[in-house]
Amino acid sequence: MTQLLEVRDLAYCYDRDQVIFEHVSFAVNPGEVLTLLGPNGAGKSTLLNCLDALIEPTCGDVLIDGEPIGQMSPRALASKVAYVPQTISVTYGYSVREYLVMGAAPRLGMFSAPSKEDYEKVDAVIDQLDLAHLSDRAVNRLSGGERQRVAIARAIVQSPKIILFDEPTSALDYGNQIRVMRTIKSLAEQNYAVVMTTHNPDQPILLGGKVGMLDRDGSMVVGEAETALTSDKLSNLYQTDLHLVYVDKADRIACVSSRL
């Protein structure tokens, strides 16, 4: 059976003596979430960039619908994969609606303008993510939380099968972090395949699905978040004393540290 996204024995090295990661293998299918979890500097963003052909791995394969991404044209790849960075930087004062319709670019010819259907898609996504009050605002005047929601909306307008998120909550306050997590979970429920990087163990707990724990030695263990995450594994991953405890008030497991 062909997997939507399949990674086979992937490795990336800066040189012979600096291995970022190696022997990384996993698969993600429609409706699934894979959270790449690990400390800062472990190589999570580098791995994510390999999945969108932004950088070339040292060895191994990344396949989408059975086709190596190195053999896909940029337009063909963009029709399958959307990438949401940590932050978006917009210097020109595009309105949110103008910025979102740019997500339709992979479907357009070189000299084509967005169609009525493209704008209808934009308006539907604006309603879906409750962005109507921002649609005429300039993107470069939005707050961090607003920009991140707009970046997610543009990825949806792109109509991909897979959405990649690089540390999507790193610059957000706690309330906006939770809102973004809810949006990401809803995307999986809409049958998108989602791959997300984070250094926060609570996020794969909240999202469920799969987790890939990427250590500083370049190894990654992949499993179901519900069973793969343990106090011992997280303590080893972050080199500090961590515990998974049930929080009655929240009705879920949470990751907590010992006293300082």
mmCIF file of all heavy atoms in Angstrom, residues 190-239:
data_model
loop_
_atom_site.group_PDB
_atom_site.id
_atom_site.type_symbol
_atom_site.label_atom_id
_atom_site.label_comp_id
_atom_site.label_asym_id
_atom_site.label_seq_id
_atom_site.Cartn_x
_atom_site.Cartn_y
_atom_site.Cartn_z
ATOM 1 N N GLN A 190 -9.954 17.077 9.389
ATOM 2 C CA GLN A 190 -10.423 17.344 8.017
ATOM 3 C C GLN A 190 -9.639 16.533 6.979
ATOM 4 O O GLN A 190 -9.752 16.764 5.783
ATOM 5 C CB GLN A 190 -10.301 18.834 7.709
ATOM 6 C CG GLN A 190 -11.198 19.724 8.556
ATOM 7 C CD GLN A 190 -10.830 21.187 8.423
ATOM 8 O OE1 GLN A 190 -10.738 21.719 7.318
ATOM 9 N NE2 GLN A 190 -10.604 21.863 9.537
ATOM 10 N N ASN A 191 -8.818 15.595 7.467
ATOM 11 C CA ASN A 191 -8.104 14.621 6.625
ATOM 12 C C ASN A 191 -6.810 15.138 6.020
ATOM 13 O O ASN A 191 -6.262 14.516 5.107
ATOM 14 C CB ASN A 191 -9.005 14.058 5.520
ATOM 15 C CG ASN A 191 -8.771 12.575 5.309
ATOM 16 O OD1 ASN A 191 -8.526 11.838 6.277
ATOM 17 N ND2 ASN A 191 -8.859 12.122 4.075
ATOM 18 N N TYR A 192 -6.300 16.271 6.507
ATOM 19 C CA TYR A 192 -4.944 16.658 6.134
ATOM 20 C C TYR A 192 -3.957 15.772 6.912
ATOM 21 O O TYR A 192 -4.228 15.371 8.048
ATOM 22 C CB TYR A 192 -4.661 18.113 6.488
ATOM 23 C CG TYR A 192 -5.431 19.128 5.683
ATOM 24 C CD1 TYR A 192 -6.616 19.672 6.165
ATOM 25 C CD2 TYR A 192 -4.971 19.550 4.445
ATOM 26 C CE1 TYR A 192 -7.330 20.615 5.439
ATOM 27 C CE2 TYR A 192 -5.679 20.500 3.702
ATOM 28 C CZ TYR A 192 -6.857 21.018 4.206
ATOM 29 O OH TYR A 192 -7.558 21.948 3.477
ATOM 30 N N ALA A 193 -2.817 15.499 6.317
ATOM 31 C CA ALA A 193 -1.697 14.921 7.057
ATOM 32 C C ALA A 193 -0.880 16.078 7.625
ATOM 33 O O ALA A 193 -0.582 17.039 6.909
ATOM 34 C CB ALA A 193 -0.832 14.059 6.141
ATOM 35 N N VAL A 194 -0.537 16.009 8.899
ATOM 36 C CA VAL A 194 0.141 17.112 9.571
ATOM 37 C C VAL A 194 1.454 16.621 10.162
ATOM 38 O O VAL A 194 1.487 15.588 10.850
ATOM 39 C CB VAL A 194 -0.739 17.705 10.687
ATOM 40 C CG1 VAL A 194 0.033 18.765 11.478
ATOM 41 C CG2 VAL A 194 -2.015 18.302 10.109
ATOM 42 N N VAL A 195 2.533 17.365 9.897
ATOM 43 C CA VAL A 195 3.818 17.138 10.561
ATOM 44 C C VAL A 195 4.224 18.452 11.210
ATOM 45 O O VAL A 195 4.241 19.490 10.551
ATOM 46 C CB VAL A 195 4.911 16.672 9.578
ATOM 47 C CG1 VAL A 195 6.215 16.398 10.337
ATOM 48 C CG2 VAL A 195 4.465 15.426 8.820
ATOM 49 N N MET A 196 4.541 18.395 12.497
ATOM 50 C CA MET A 196 4.817 19.612 13.261
ATOM 51 C C MET A 196 6.048 19.413 14.135
ATOM 52 O O MET A 196 6.232 18.348 14.721
ATOM 53 C CB MET A 196 3.604 19.931 14.146
ATOM 54 C CG MET A 196 3.726 21.214 14.935
ATOM 55 S SD MET A 196 2.405 21.365 16.184
ATOM 56 C CE MET A 196 3.153 20.465 17.541
ATOM 57 N N THR A 197 6.888 20.450 14.232
ATOM 58 C CA THR A 197 8.015 20.400 15.155
ATOM 59 C C THR A 197 7.684 21.179 16.425
ATOM 60 O O THR A 197 6.962 22.175 16.382
ATOM 61 C CB THR A 197 9.296 20.992 14.537
ATOM 62 O OG1 THR A 197 9.108 22.405 14.325
ATOM 63 C CG2 THR A 197 9.629 20.325 13.217
ATOM 64 N N THR A 198 8.231 20.721 17.536
ATOM 65 C CA THR A 198 8.064 21.432 18.804
ATOM 66 C C THR A 198 9.119 20.944 19.793
ATOM 67 O O THR A 198 9.679 19.854 19.636
ATOM 68 C CB THR A 198 6.659 21.207 19.403
ATOM 69 O OG1 THR A 198 6.517 22.020 20.589
ATOM 70 C CG2 THR A 198 6.438 19.754 19.795
ATOM 71 N N HIS A 199 9.406 21.765 20.801
ATOM 72 C CA HIS A 199 10.233 21.309 21.916
ATOM 73 C C HIS A 199 9.389 21.141 23.181
ATOM 74 O O HIS A 199 9.922 20.859 24.248
ATOM 75 C CB HIS A 199 11.374 22.300 22.181
ATOM 76 C CG HIS A 199 10.905 23.702 22.437
ATOM 77 N ND1 HIS A 199 10.883 24.664 21.455
ATOM 78 C CD2 HIS A 199 10.425 24.291 23.547
ATOM 79 C CE1 HIS A 199 10.408 25.792 21.971
ATOM 80 N NE2 HIS A 199 10.120 25.591 23.224
ATOM 81 N N ASN A 200 8.059 21.295 23.048
ATOM 82 C CA ASN A 200 7.153 21.257 24.195
ATOM 83 C C ASN A 200 6.457 19.892 24.274
ATOM 84 O O ASN A 200 5.608 19.577 23.441
ATOM 85 C CB ASN A 200 6.112 22.372 24.047
ATOM 86 C CG ASN A 200 5.178 22.460 25.240
ATOM 87 O OD1 ASN A 200 5.064 21.537 26.038
ATOM 88 N ND2 ASN A 200 4.494 23.584 25.372
ATOM 89 N N PRO A 201 6.775 19.053 25.267
ATOM 90 C CA PRO A 201 6.176 17.711 25.346
ATOM 91 C C PRO A 201 4.665 17.725 25.511
ATOM 92 O O PRO A 201 4.007 16.734 25.178
ATOM 93 C CB PRO A 201 6.847 17.098 26.594
ATOM 94 C CG PRO A 201 8.068 17.903 26.833
ATOM 95 C CD PRO A 201 7.751 19.291 26.349
ATOM 96 N N ASP A 202 4.095 18.802 26.026
ATOM 97 C CA ASP A 202 2.646 18.843 26.194
ATOM 98 C C ASP A 202 1.908 18.870 24.859
ATOM 99 O O ASP A 202 0.747 18.461 24.771
ATOM 100 C CB ASP A 202 2.231 20.069 27.024
ATOM 101 C CG ASP A 202 2.194 19.765 28.514
ATOM 102 O OD1 ASP A 202 1.775 18.655 28.876
ATOM 103 O OD2 ASP A 202 2.603 20.636 29.292
ATOM 104 N N GLN A 203 2.567 19.342 23.801
ATOM 105 C CA GLN A 203 1.864 19.479 22.525
ATOM 106 C C GLN A 203 1.542 18.131 21.871
ATOM 107 O O GLN A 203 0.410 17.922 21.428
ATOM 108 C CB GLN A 203 2.634 20.419 21.609
ATOM 109 C CG GLN A 203 2.612 21.845 22.165
ATOM 110 C CD GLN A 203 3.221 22.884 21.262
ATOM 111 O OE1 GLN A 203 3.817 22.568 20.230
ATOM 112 N NE2 GLN A 203 3.091 24.146 21.626
ATOM 113 N N PRO A 204 2.463 17.168 21.801
ATOM 114 C CA PRO A 204 2.055 15.853 21.283
ATOM 115 C C PRO A 204 1.055 15.154 22.198
ATOM 116 O O PRO A 204 0.240 14.353 21.714
ATOM 117 C CB PRO A 204 3.373 15.069 21.188
ATOM 118 C CG PRO A 204 4.332 15.802 22.044
ATOM 119 C CD PRO A 204 3.921 17.237 22.006
ATOM 120 N N ILE A 205 1.084 15.456 23.483
ATOM 121 C CA ILE A 205 0.073 14.897 24.383
ATOM 122 C C ILE A 205 -1.301 15.435 24.005
ATOM 123 O O ILE A 205 -2.286 14.692 23.934
ATOM 124 C CB ILE A 205 0.417 15.231 25.848
ATOM 125 C CG1 ILE A 205 1.707 14.523 26.271
ATOM 126 C CG2 ILE A 205 -0.737 14.833 26.783
ATOM 127 C CD1 ILE A 205 2.229 14.956 27.635
ATOM 128 N N LEU A 206 -1.385 16.748 23.751
ATOM 129 C CA LEU A 206 -2.653 17.372 23.382
ATOM 130 C C LEU A 206 -3.138 16.896 22.013
ATOM 131 O O LEU A 206 -4.328 16.646 21.819
ATOM 132 C CB LEU A 206 -2.512 18.897 23.374
ATOM 133 C CG LEU A 206 -2.480 19.596 24.728
ATOM 134 C CD1 LEU A 206 -2.004 21.032 24.563
ATOM 135 C CD2 LEU A 206 -3.856 19.575 25.382
ATOM 136 N N LEU A 207 -2.218 16.770 21.061
ATOM 137 C CA LEU A 207 -2.601 16.444 19.691
ATOM 138 C C LEU A 207 -2.856 14.959 19.487
ATOM 139 O O LEU A 207 -3.629 14.567 18.623
ATOM 140 C CB LEU A 207 -1.508 16.903 18.716
ATOM 141 C CG LEU A 207 -1.344 18.418 18.552
ATOM 142 C CD1 LEU A 207 -0.116 18.718 17.706
ATOM 143 C CD2 LEU A 207 -2.580 19.031 17.920
ATOM 144 N N GLY A 208 -2.186 14.115 20.278
ATOM 145 C CA GLY A 208 -2.297 12.683 20.050
ATOM 146 C C GLY A 208 -1.576 12.298 18.770
ATOM 147 O O GLY A 208 -0.652 12.970 18.312
ATOM 148 N N GLY A 209 -1.995 11.206 18.148
ATOM 149 C CA GLY A 209 -1.343 10.755 16.927
ATOM 150 C C GLY A 209 0.038 10.196 17.205
ATOM 151 O O GLY A 209 0.289 9.593 18.250
ATOM 152 N N LYS A 210 0.963 10.432 16.262
ATOM 153 C CA LYS A 210 2.314 9.899 16.375
ATOM 154 C C LYS A 210 3.271 10.960 16.911
ATOM 155 O O LYS A 210 3.047 12.153 16.763
ATOM 156 C CB LYS A 210 2.811 9.428 15.001
ATOM 157 C CG LYS A 210 1.993 8.300 14.390
ATOM 158 C CD LYS A 210 2.523 7.967 12.998
ATOM 159 C CE LYS A 210 1.722 6.857 12.345
ATOM 160 N NZ LYS A 210 2.210 6.572 10.962
ATOM 161 N N VAL A 211 4.361 10.486 17.503
ATOM 162 C CA VAL A 211 5.420 11.386 17.946
ATOM 163 C C VAL A 211 6.751 10.789 17.518
ATOM 164 O O VAL A 211 6.948 9.574 17.562
ATOM 165 C CB VAL A 211 5.390 11.605 19.476
ATOM 166 C CG1 VAL A 211 5.629 10.306 20.234
ATOM 167 C CG2 VAL A 211 6.393 12.670 19.901
ATOM 168 N N GLY A 212 7.643 11.660 17.034
ATOM 169 C CA GLY A 212 9.009 11.263 16.728
ATOM 170 C C GLY A 212 9.942 12.016 17.654
ATOM 171 O O GLY A 212 10.032 13.239 17.577
ATOM 172 N N MET A 213 10.597 11.293 18.555
ATOM 173 C CA MET A 213 11.489 11.929 19.532
ATOM 174 C C MET A 213 12.901 11.952 18.967
ATOM 175 O O MET A 213 13.542 10.907 18.833
ATOM 176 C CB MET A 213 11.428 11.178 20.863
ATOM 177 C CG MET A 213 10.127 11.416 21.608
ATOM 178 S SD MET A 213 9.966 10.443 23.131
ATOM 179 C CE MET A 213 9.435 8.872 22.440
ATOM 180 N N LEU A 214 13.346 13.153 18.596
ATOM 181 C CA LEU A 214 14.649 13.345 17.956
ATOM 182 C C LEU A 214 15.655 13.822 18.991
ATOM 183 O O LEU A 214 15.524 14.919 19.543
ATOM 184 C CB LEU A 214 14.530 14.363 16.815
ATOM 185 C CG LEU A 214 15.775 14.615 15.967
ATOM 186 C CD1 LEU A 214 16.252 13.335 15.296
ATOM 187 C CD2 LEU A 214 15.499 15.688 14.921
ATOM 188 N N ASP A 215 16.658 12.988 19.252
ATOM 189 C CA ASP A 215 17.651 13.301 20.281
ATOM 190 C C ASP A 215 18.846 14.027 19.674
ATOM 191 O O ASP A 215 19.013 14.054 18.444
ATOM 192 C CB ASP A 215 18.111 11.998 20.955
ATOM 193 C CG ASP A 215 18.497 12.219 22.415
ATOM 194 O OD1 ASP A 215 18.822 13.380 22.770
ATOM 195 O OD2 ASP A 215 18.479 11.250 23.184
ATOM 196 N N ARG A 216 19.667 14.599 20.535
ATOM 197 C CA ARG A 216 20.835 15.340 20.056
ATOM 198 C C ARG A 216 21.874 14.434 19.403
ATOM 199 O O ARG A 216 22.769 14.917 18.717
ATOM 200 C CB ARG A 216 21.490 16.111 21.220
ATOM 201 C CG ARG A 216 20.703 17.339 21.665
ATOM 202 C CD ARG A 216 21.522 18.182 22.623
ATOM 203 N NE ARG A 216 20.833 19.384 23.020
ATOM 204 C CZ ARG A 216 20.046 19.493 24.082
ATOM 205 N NH1 ARG A 216 19.842 18.415 24.844
ATOM 206 N NH2 ARG A 216 19.466 20.631 24.387
ATOM 207 N N ASP A 217 21.786 13.116 19.630
ATOM 208 C CA ASP A 217 22.736 12.203 18.992
ATOM 209 C C ASP A 217 22.321 11.849 17.570
ATOM 210 O O ASP A 217 22.990 11.060 16.888
ATOM 211 C CB ASP A 217 22.911 10.935 19.827
ATOM 212 C CG ASP A 217 21.626 10.100 19.929
ATOM 213 O OD1 ASP A 217 20.606 10.480 19.326
ATOM 214 O OD2 ASP A 217 21.652 9.073 20.636
ATOM 215 N N GLY A 218 21.190 12.423 17.084
ATOM 216 C CA GLY A 218 20.762 12.202 15.721
ATOM 217 C C GLY A 218 19.836 11.030 15.524
ATOM 218 O O GLY A 218 19.426 10.744 14.394
ATOM 219 N N SER A 219 19.464 10.344 16.595
ATOM 220 C CA SER A 219 18.546 9.217 16.485
ATOM 221 C C SER A 219 17.114 9.676 16.739
ATOM 222 O O SER A 219 16.877 10.627 17.475
ATOM 223 C CB SER A 219 18.917 8.116 17.483
ATOM 224 O OG SER A 219 18.779 8.590 18.823
ATOM 225 N N MET A 220 16.157 8.987 16.118
ATOM 226 C CA MET A 220 14.757 9.329 16.338
ATOM 227 C C MET A 220 13.938 8.058 16.518
ATOM 228 O O MET A 220 14.049 7.120 15.731
ATOM 229 C CB MET A 220 14.180 10.158 15.188
ATOM 230 C CG MET A 220 12.789 10.706 15.508
ATOM 231 S SD MET A 220 12.178 11.921 14.309
ATOM 232 C CE MET A 220 11.426 10.846 13.100
ATOM 233 N N VAL A 221 13.125 8.060 17.570
ATOM 234 C CA VAL A 221 12.219 6.947 17.852
ATOM 235 C C VAL A 221 10.804 7.437 17.565
ATOM 236 O O VAL A 221 10.390 8.488 18.053
ATOM 237 C CB VAL A 221 12.339 6.488 19.318
ATOM 238 C CG1 VAL A 221 11.337 5.378 19.617
ATOM 239 C CG2 VAL A 221 13.763 6.019 19.607
ATOM 240 N N VAL A 222 10.053 6.670 16.769
ATOM 241 C CA VAL A 222 8.700 7.046 16.378
ATOM 242 C C VAL A 222 7.711 6.049 16.975
ATOM 243 O O VAL A 222 7.942 4.835 16.971
ATOM 244 C CB VAL A 222 8.545 7.059 14.843
ATOM 245 C CG1 VAL A 222 7.117 7.454 14.452
ATOM 246 C CG2 VAL A 222 9.546 8.024 14.217
ATOM 247 N N GLY A 223 6.608 6.587 17.515
ATOM 248 C CA GLY A 223 5.571 5.725 18.059
ATOM 249 C C GLY A 223 4.296 6.511 18.294
ATOM 250 O O GLY A 223 4.227 7.704 18.008
ATOM 251 N N GLU A 224 3.296 5.838 18.809
ATOM 252 C CA GLU A 224 2.057 6.516 19.169
ATOM 253 C C GLU A 224 2.303 7.375 20.405
ATOM 254 O O GLU A 224 2.884 6.892 21.390
ATOM 255 C CB GLU A 224 0.941 5.511 19.439
ATOM 256 C CG GLU A 224 0.542 4.689 18.219
ATOM 257 C CD GLU A 224 -0.047 5.551 17.117
ATOM 258 O OE1 GLU A 224 -0.779 6.513 17.440
ATOM 259 O OE2 GLU A 224 0.214 5.276 15.938
ATOM 260 N N ALA A 225 1.862 8.637 20.357
ATOM 261 C CA ALA A 225 2.137 9.561 21.466
ATOM 262 C C ALA A 225 1.630 9.015 22.795
ATOM 263 O O ALA A 225 2.281 9.164 23.834
ATOM 264 C CB ALA A 225 1.502 10.921 21.171
ATOM 265 N N GLU A 226 0.489 8.356 22.772
ATOM 266 C CA GLU A 226 -0.135 7.882 24.004
ATOM 267 C C GLU A 226 0.729 6.856 24.736
ATOM 268 O O GLU A 226 0.723 6.792 25.968
ATOM 269 C CB GLU A 226 -1.500 7.272 23.686
ATOM 270 C CG GLU A 226 -2.322 6.902 24.910
ATOM 271 C CD GLU A 226 -3.715 6.436 24.549
ATOM 272 O OE1 GLU A 226 -4.094 6.507 23.364
ATOM 273 O OE2 GLU A 226 -4.427 5.998 25.467
ATOM 274 N N THR A 227 1.496 6.077 23.974
ATOM 275 C CA THR A 227 2.300 5.027 24.604
ATOM 276 C C THR A 227 3.802 5.300 24.539
ATOM 277 O O THR A 227 4.547 4.830 25.398
ATOM 278 C CB THR A 227 2.009 3.670 23.931
ATOM 279 O OG1 THR A 227 2.208 3.791 22.511
ATOM 280 C CG2 THR A 227 0.570 3.242 24.200
ATOM 281 N N ALA A 228 4.249 6.046 23.522
ATOM 282 C CA ALA A 228 5.686 6.263 23.351
ATOM 283 C C ALA A 228 6.249 7.277 24.341
ATOM 284 O O ALA A 228 7.421 7.197 24.725
ATOM 285 C CB ALA A 228 5.979 6.720 21.922
ATOM 286 N N LEU A 229 5.429 8.245 24.745
ATOM 287 C CA LEU A 229 5.895 9.263 25.684
ATOM 288 C C LEU A 229 5.858 8.708 27.103
ATOM 289 O O LEU A 229 4.804 8.329 27.609
ATOM 290 C CB LEU A 229 5.028 10.523 25.587
ATOM 291 C CG LEU A 229 5.109 11.293 24.269
ATOM 292 C CD1 LEU A 229 4.047 12.384 24.230
ATOM 293 C CD2 LEU A 229 6.490 11.889 24.070
ATOM 294 N N THR A 230 7.008 8.663 27.742
ATOM 295 C CA THR A 230 7.094 8.233 29.134
ATOM 296 C C THR A 230 7.968 9.221 29.902
ATOM 297 O O THR A 230 8.752 9.966 29.306
ATOM 298 C CB THR A 230 7.709 6.828 29.267
ATOM 299 O OG1 THR A 230 9.091 6.875 28.869
ATOM 300 C CG2 THR A 230 6.948 5.808 28.408
ATOM 301 N N SER A 231 7.853 9.212 31.212
ATOM 302 C CA SER A 231 8.662 10.110 32.041
ATOM 303 C C SER A 231 10.146 9.867 31.820
ATOM 304 O O SER A 231 10.937 10.815 31.700
ATOM 305 C CB SER A 231 8.305 9.917 33.521
ATOM 306 O OG SER A 231 6.955 10.225 33.766
ATOM 307 N N ASP A 232 10.550 8.589 31.758
ATOM 308 C CA ASP A 232 11.967 8.270 31.581
ATOM 309 C C ASP A 232 12.486 8.752 30.231
ATOM 310 O O ASP A 232 13.574 9.335 30.149
ATOM 311 C CB ASP A 232 12.186 6.763 31.715
ATOM 312 C CG ASP A 232 12.070 6.282 33.154
ATOM 313 O OD1 ASP A 232 12.130 7.129 34.072
ATOM 314 O OD2 ASP A 232 11.911 5.061 33.358
ATOM 315 N N LYS A 233 11.713 8.517 29.166
ATOM 316 C CA LYS A 233 12.160 8.933 27.831
ATOM 317 C C LYS A 233 12.270 10.445 27.725
ATOM 318 O O LYS A 233 13.220 10.974 27.141
ATOM 319 C CB LYS A 233 11.209 8.393 26.770
ATOM 320 C CG LYS A 233 11.316 6.888 26.549
ATOM 321 C CD LYS A 233 10.315 6.426 25.499
ATOM 322 C CE LYS A 233 10.394 4.915 25.295
ATOM 323 N NZ LYS A 233 9.374 4.444 24.326
ATOM 324 N N LEU A 234 11.308 11.165 28.282
ATOM 325 C CA LEU A 234 11.355 12.626 28.222
ATOM 326 C C LEU A 234 12.497 13.172 29.083
ATOM 327 O O LEU A 234 13.155 14.139 28.707
ATOM 328 C CB LEU A 234 10.017 13.211 28.667
ATOM 329 C CG LEU A 234 8.867 12.986 27.688
ATOM 330 C CD1 LEU A 234 7.538 13.424 28.308
ATOM 331 C CD2 LEU A 234 9.100 13.739 26.382
ATOM 332 N N SER A 235 12.729 12.563 30.218
ATOM 333 C CA SER A 235 13.847 12.999 31.076
ATOM 334 C C SER A 235 15.176 12.814 30.361
ATOM 335 O O SER A 235 16.058 13.673 30.414
ATOM 336 C CB SER A 235 13.837 12.212 32.393
ATOM 337 O OG SER A 235 12.686 12.499 33.146
ATOM 338 N N ASN A 236 15.335 11.680 29.660
ATOM 339 C CA ASN A 236 16.564 11.444 28.895
ATOM 340 C C ASN A 236 16.674 12.401 27.723
ATOM 341 O O ASN A 236 17.763 12.901 27.418
ATOM 342 C CB ASN A 236 16.592 9.996 28.395
ATOM 343 C CG ASN A 236 16.816 8.989 29.506
ATOM 344 O OD1 ASN A 236 17.427 9.304 30.529
ATOM 345 N ND2 ASN A 236 16.321 7.771 29.326
ATOM 346 N N LEU A 237 15.545 12.681 27.064
ATOM 347 C CA LEU A 237 15.548 13.547 25.885
ATOM 348 C C LEU A 237 15.979 14.961 26.237
ATOM 349 O O LEU A 237 16.741 15.595 25.498
ATOM 350 C CB LEU A 237 14.155 13.559 25.257
ATOM 351 C CG LEU A 237 13.985 14.250 23.908
ATOM 352 C CD1 LEU A 237 14.745 13.504 22.817
ATOM 353 C CD2 LEU A 237 12.501 14.350 23.538
ATOM 354 N N TYR A 238 15.505 15.460 27.380
ATOM 355 C CA TYR A 238 15.762 16.847 27.768
ATOM 356 C C TYR A 238 16.816 16.987 28.862
ATOM 357 O O TYR A 238 17.098 18.106 29.299
ATOM 358 C CB TYR A 238 14.451 17.514 28.209
ATOM 359 C CG TYR A 238 13.514 17.761 27.041
ATOM 360 C CD1 TYR A 238 12.458 16.896 26.783
ATOM 361 C CD2 TYR A 238 13.720 18.825 26.175
ATOM 362 C CE1 TYR A 238 11.616 17.099 25.697
ATOM 363 C CE2 TYR A 238 12.887 19.042 25.095
ATOM 364 C CZ TYR A 238 11.837 18.177 24.861
ATOM 365 O OH TYR A 238 11.008 18.372 23.776
ATOM 366 N N GLN A 239 17.361 15.862 29.293
ATOM 367 C CA GLN A 239 18.429 15.869 30.295
ATOM 368 C C GLN A 239 18.032 16.642 31.551
ATOM 369 O O GLN A 239 18.815 17.422 32.114
ATOM 370 C CB GLN A 239 19.713 16.442 29.698
ATOM 371 C CG GLN A 239 20.316 15.579 28.590
ATOM 372 C CD GLN A 239 20.782 14.221 29.086
ATOM 373 O OE1 GLN A 239 21.724 14.135 29.862
ATOM 374 N NE2 GLN A 239 20.091 13.169 28.644
#
